[in-house]
Amino acid sequence: MKYFSTLLFFVFFVTVSAFSQGKVVKYTVSSGETVNQIAQKFKVTPYDIYELNPDARKGITPNTVLLIPTGGSKSVEKAETAAVKSTGSSKEIIHEVQPKETFYSIEKKYGISDEALKAANPFLEKTGVQIGQKLVIPAKGSAPKTAVAADKKAKEKGPEKYVFHEVQPKETKYSIAKQYNTTIEDLEKRNPEIVSSLPVGYKVTIKGIAPKTETATVSKPEENKKPAETSKKAVSYMEYQVKPKETFYSLGRVFHLSQDELIALNPSLSEGVKEGMVLKVPAGYVAPAPIIAQQPADTTTAKQTERPVENTGGSGIKIVDKVKSETVSIDPEIVELTKKRGINERKKVVLLLPFNLAKLQSDTTGMAARLKTDKFLNMTLDFYSGAMMAIDSAKTLKLPLDVAIYDSQETKTTSGISTLIAQNKLQDADAIVGPFYQSNAESAANTLRMYNVPVISPLSKDDANPIDNLYQTIPSSEVVRSAMFDYMRAKNGNIVAVVDKKKESVINYIKQNQRGVVFAALTETGALDAANLKGLLLPSRMNYVVMETGNTAMIKAVIKALIDAQKTCQVQLVILEPNSTLDTDEISYENLVKLKLMYPSVTRDSDEQSAAIFKKEYKLKNKTYPNTYATRGFDVTFDTMMRLVQGKTFPETADLMTTQQVDNKFQYYKKEDGGHANKGVYILYYDTDLTLKEAN
């Protein structure tokens, strides 16, 4: 009772505090509403709602009562002004360094030079910029460009408007920030849900700036009623009836108009795109031709017969039975696994997932508190939620499968996997997904080796010991790197490497495994010799420049040299692994797009219909979009189950078939020392339309 009294007092205290800060209203959540929709309704940001309702970050349910600020975005203004404090003197300002800020961003913000900032703060020469530092901003230079000044200016013009952007397939935070002339940091601040991922269909809140567009906009007629002009050309219009399943994205692609432009021409679209609507659109458009799967130039194919059997119940996964002729191709053909007719023998699939229920039951902190701090448990539950979607799909398809899920009760140091297998007679299984930890997956594989039961390791990135029945689903870092070089060689590219001296492991890897790659010279201080780099580029071939460095100055130098070189030859920038330095404001995203930055990836962001349906159905079931672990839970589980209903064993399908599901590709191969690994890697690049695409 004392606990609840304390809790009620705390809630009352928070409520009073919230009301004391400005006008606040109570709002009861309706069924199906999201924080974004409520924020749009009250003309505030999700950030404002989360500040007054911290628990809303975990999700909201019908009849939840939220506190909504009605006096504007006070929390945003407060957060942005807190970083800049006056010293009491009009001659200088004290700035507190925020996360992700750099010399460049601070100097740009206040309009001062690098020399002036370091002269006022001599310690920066030794320490560099660190979070929490108090920096003296000298008076010389322009006044700080704070959000407060911008807000004041906006208020003089009238009430501020908010723009909401619906995330389209293959869009990135970088492309959205660029489109709306804002920063990734600002997007994440206003939309906390996109920090870890960017779900397709999510409505991102953007503060008061209309999107840029490269397409021509329709100008309004002048008072003298001259014909409207668009890029000095009159625009005529026609009527267009919306077809089934069309969206803002597909309409925009057809008519070359942004969502805002479509709504401006058709106000009824503000309520969403609906089948049968008659829209006003620019005349003279060319309807897109039906998309037909293109075969590689070197392949020969016979006609194929399709027998569509659609089923979208339960999981929403659309299955189409196909009878295909064999295709001869240099690259392995990706096989679409379908339910085979006449296969009735039931197969047993086992999932070993580390819920550690006994540990949870004895934990006095409670489940809610544990979920806030235990990343491993969250990862397990996400994977489990995706796996359950796969199991639902199998039920919908009426696959002859029996699925059992066991708590593996594993940790990094302890495991009772062998005992668990013996007690539950798991040697009768046709395939086992899990455990998570590499050592435990190997223990399970060793225990089941004599029974030839395949053990599929779903999440481990470690190199596995040679065990014949062990299958690693995540490609190793060496496989990922090799896939990138294989692609560049297949394109007959001239490969040049620019590698920081500190990256010794990368240098050794390329020298030992990727012969024929030339290294650009560095100066004695470790800087790039730009003239040498340009001299290594060939005008007659595509030049792939592999850049591996975290040094901002070197990255800028490489980018500048390559953009200059584009005047005389073909150049594409390549990285072998994620590079956080490229995510900072100091590196121009526009330049990365110009160079079509390319990299290898274990996952893709698919815009195929089946992937879109999975994400939509997952959202309906779990009230949130799937993250990487949830999608992997679906992909690994569904792929394993579908391989077992092909009339072959899992090992036989692993040797014969390359498959891909929502975001993951499975191309198993037998390692020389034993065991199996996956070399299913995607090659992705930034296209000129600011989206990520898969390289052909």
Side-chain angles (χ1 to χ4, degrees):
M1 187 66 185
K2 183 178 180 182
Y3 168 80
F4 287 105
S5 300
T6 305
L7 180 62
L8 287 171
F9 174 78
F10 175 75
V11 171
F12 175 77
F13 176 76
V14 171
T15 304
V16 171
S17 299
F19 273 90
S20 66
Q21 291 173 8
K23 294 181 179 179
V24 178
V25 297
K26 292 183 178 180
Y27 179 77
T28 303
V29 178
S30 301
S31 178
E33 277 192 311
T34 65
V35 170
N36 255 43
Q37 292 170 341
I38 297 170
Q40 187 174 9
K41 182 181 294 186
F42 285 91
K43 304 300 181 185
V44 297
T45 69
Y47 183 86
D48 298 316
I49 295 177
Y50 289 135
E51 186 178 63
L52 295 180
N53 309 270
D55 289 341
R57 293 178 185 274
K58 304 173 192 173
I60 55 176
T61 57
N63 300 320
T64 300
V65 177
L66 300 178
L67 299 177
I68 310 294
T70 59
S73 303
K74 302 290 185 183
S75 58
V76 175
E77 182 178 329
K78 182 179 177 182
E80 291 176 338
T81 56
V84 182
K85 298 181 181 178
S86 173
T87 60
S89 168
S90 61
K91 295 184 178 180
E92 60 183 33
I93 291 171
I94 301 298
H95 174 86
E96 184 174 338
V97 179
Q98 303 299 310
K100 295 186 178 181
E101 283 193 314
T102 62
F103 278 119
Y104 176 79
S105 62
I106 295 171
E107 290 158 5
K108 184 178 179 182
K109 181 176 183 178
Y110 291 96
I112 60 175
S113 66
D114 186 65
E115 294 77 11
L117 180 63
K118 291 179 179 177
N121 305 272
F123 57 87
L124 288 176
E125 293 284 0
K126 294 183 179 180
T127 64
V129 174
Q130 297 180 9
I131 298 173
Q133 279 179 332
K134 302 289 178 62
L135 303 182
V136 176
I137 307 299
K140 188 176 180 180
S142 59
K145 304 171 184 177
T146 62
V148 176
D151 285 347
K152 184 177 179 182
K153 187 176 181 181
K155 288 177 182 176
E156 290 173 357
K157 292 183 178 181
E160 189 173 37
K161 296 180 180 179
Y162 290 87
V163 177
F164 296 85
H165 175 90
E166 184 172 336
V167 178
Q168 303 299 329
K170 297 190 179 180
E171 279 191 317
T172 64
K173 287 184 234 180
Y174 316 109
S175 64
I176 295 173
K178 187 71 179 176
Q179 182 183 357
Y180 290 92
N181 196 25
T182 185
T183 64
I184 297 170
E185 184 179 1
D186 189 61
L187 286 178
E188 292 180 342
K189 183 177 181 181
R190 301 186 191 288
N191 305 271
E193 297 93 337
I194 72 170
V195 172
S196 59
S197 64
L198 186 66
V200 174
Y202 179 81
K203 287 190 175 180
V204 179
T205 302
I206 304 197
K207 187 178 180 180
I209 303 174
K212 294 180 177 181
T213 175
E214 296 179 1
T215 59
T217 55
V218 180
S219 58
K220 294 182 180 179
E222 301 293 337
E223 290 182 2
N224 57 8
K225 306 216 174 171
K226 289 182 180 180
E229 292 184 354
T230 300
S231 299
K232 299 181 181 180
K233 184 177 180 181
V235 177
S236 58
Y237 297 96
M238 58 176 281
E239 290 186 344
Y240 175 83
Q241 187 170 13
V242 177
K243 298 180 178 62
K245 299 183 181 179
E246 284 194 305
T247 63
F248 277 119
Y249 179 71
S250 61
L251 291 171
R253 292 285 294 271
V254 172
F255 299 108
H256 303 290
L257 295 175
S258 68
Q259 180 172 328
D260 286 348
E261 289 171 325
L262 284 167
I263 294 175
L265 289 172
N266 305 274
S268 60
L269 282 175
S270 59
E271 298 179 0
V273 178
K274 298 176 183 177
E275 180 183 344
M277 294 175 74
V278 177
L279 305 180
K280 176 184 177 183
V281 296
Y285 86 102
V286 179
I291 299 175
I292 301 175
Q294 297 180 352
Q295 300 295 338
D298 297 333
T299 66
T300 57
T301 60
K303 293 181 179 179
Q304 65 178 25
T305 305
E306 296 191 0
R307 294 191 298 275
V309 181
E310 298 187 8
N311 192 330
T312 57
S315 68
I317 303 300
K318 180 179 177 181
I319 302 297
V320 180
D321 284 346
K322 295 183 179 180
V323 178
K324 292 185 178 180
S325 62
E326 292 186 1
T327 301
V328 180
S329 174
I330 296 173
D331 296 324
E333 179 189 3
I334 294 176
V335 178
E336 183 180 356
L337 300 181
T338 60
K339 180 183 178 182
K340 297 291 182 181
R341 291 183 174 86
I343 304 298
N344 298 314
E345 182 185 356
R346 300 195 69 80
K347 302 289 184 178
K348 181 179 180 180
V349 180
V350 173
L351 274 64
L352 300 180
L353 307 181
F355 297 111
N356 289 300
L357 294 177
K359 186 177 180 181
L360 287 175
Q361 290 169 356
S362 62
D363 192 340
T364 57
T365 60
M367 177 63 78
R370 184 68 179 273
L371 286 172
K372 289 182 179 179
T373 58
D374 195 330
K375 293 182 179 180
F376 187 74
L377 177 59
N378 277 280
M379 178 183 69
T380 301
L381 295 176
D382 288 334
F383 186 94
Y384 170 73
S385 65
M388 289 305 296
M389 293 289 291
I391 294 169
D392 287 345
S393 299
K395 290 178 181 177
T396 301
L397 296 171
K398 297 181 180 179
L399 300 182
L401 293 169
D402 296 317
V403 182
I405 302 174
Y406 293 91
D407 181 5
S408 59
Q409 300 184 43
E410 60 180 303
T411 65
K412 197 169 185 178
T413 55
T414 61
S415 170
I417 296 298
S418 298
T419 304
L420 177 66
I421 291 173
Q423 289 177 344
N424 296 281
K425 299 181 179 179
L426 300 187
Q427 61 269 22
D428 295 334
D430 293 285
I432 291 181
V433 176
F436 280 8
Y437 284 113
Q438 181 63 33
S439 59
N440 297 332
E442 290 181 3
S443 175
N446 274 320
T447 302
L448 295 167
R449 196 171 191 171
M450 68 179 71
Y451 303 101
N452 296 319
V453 177
V455 174
I456 295 93
S457 177
L459 292 176
S460 175
K461 299 178 183 179
D462 299 337
D463 289 330
N465 287 315
I467 307 172
D468 292 339
N469 60 324
L470 181 62
Y471 293 79
Q472 296 288 112
T473 62
I474 295 187
S476 66
S477 57
E478 186 169 339
V479 165
V480 173
R481 287 175 176 176
S482 295
M484 187 70 254
F485 284 99
D486 290 345
Y487 174 85
M488 293 186 287
R489 286 199 179 89
K491 295 295 181 181
N492 192 32
N494 174 43
I495 308 174
V496 180
V498 180
V499 186
D500 197 319
K501 289 180 178 179
K502 297 178 182 179
K503 299 269 188 176
E504 292 183 11
S505 62
V506 178
I507 295 173
N508 293 334
Y509 165 78
I510 293 176
K511 287 182 177 179
Q512 295 171 12
N513 301 282
Q514 304 298 338
R515 297 188 179 183
V517 177
V518 292
F519 286 83
L522 305 180
T523 65
E524 292 182 359
T525 59
L528 172 71
D529 185 336
N532 175 264
L533 172 60
K534 291 180 181 179
L536 296 174
L537 304 179
L538 304 177
S540 59
R541 294 165 64 186
M542 169 60 80
N543 296 277
Y544 295 108
V545 178
V546 179
M547 179 184 69
E548 284 299 310
T549 178
N551 184 291
T552 303
M554 181 179 283
I555 292 174
K556 286 184 174 181
V558 172
I559 290 174
K560 184 178 184 303
L562 297 186
I563 288 179
D564 289 343
Q566 281 186 324
K567 298 172 185 176
T568 57
C569 59
Q570 290 182 296
V571 182
Q572 189 162 7
L573 182 62
V574 176
I575 57 175
L576 300 178
E577 56 189 18
N579 189 335
S580 59
T581 309
L582 297 179
D583 295 344
T584 62
D585 292 337
E586 296 188 55
I587 306 302
S588 167
Y589 177 74
E590 194 172 278
N591 286 337
L592 298 180
V593 171
K594 286 180 181 177
L595 294 171
K596 291 193 172 183
L597 177 67
M598 184 164 61
Y599 61 94
S601 176
V602 172
T603 62
R604 59 173 179 166
D605 187 7
S606 175
D607 60 354
E608 293 178 1
Q609 186 180 7
S610 59
I613 293 173
F614 162 72
K615 292 169 184 176
K616 179 181 178 181
E617 292 296 321
Y618 185 95
K619 173 75 162 53
L620 289 173
K621 185 173 182 179
N622 298 284
K623 311 304 180 187
T624 185
Y625 285 99
N627 61 14
T628 303
Y629 295 113
T631 305
R632 187 156 191 84
F634 175 86
D635 284 358
V636 173
T637 306
F638 191 68
D639 187 76
T640 300
M641 293 191 298
M642 291 305 298
R643 286 178 181 272
L644 292 177
V645 295
Q646 302 303 306
K648 298 179 176 65
T649 64
F650 183 93
E652 288 173 334
T653 64
D655 291 338
L656 297 171
M657 300 174 179
T658 295
T659 61
Q660 66 181 11
Q661 302 301 336
V662 175
D663 278 345
N664 295 271
K665 185 189 295 184
F666 301 95
Q667 185 180 350
Y668 293 111
Y669 69 98
K670 191 167 186 177
K671 299 190 297 181
E672 292 182 1
D673 60 351
H676 297 78
N678 182 17
K679 57 180 178 181
V681 177
Y682 296 101
I683 307 298
L684 306 177
Y685 71 96
Y686 290 158
D687 202 0
T688 50
D689 62 358
L690 303 182
T691 63
L692 274 175
K693 284 190 171 63
E694 186 178 348
N696 295 322

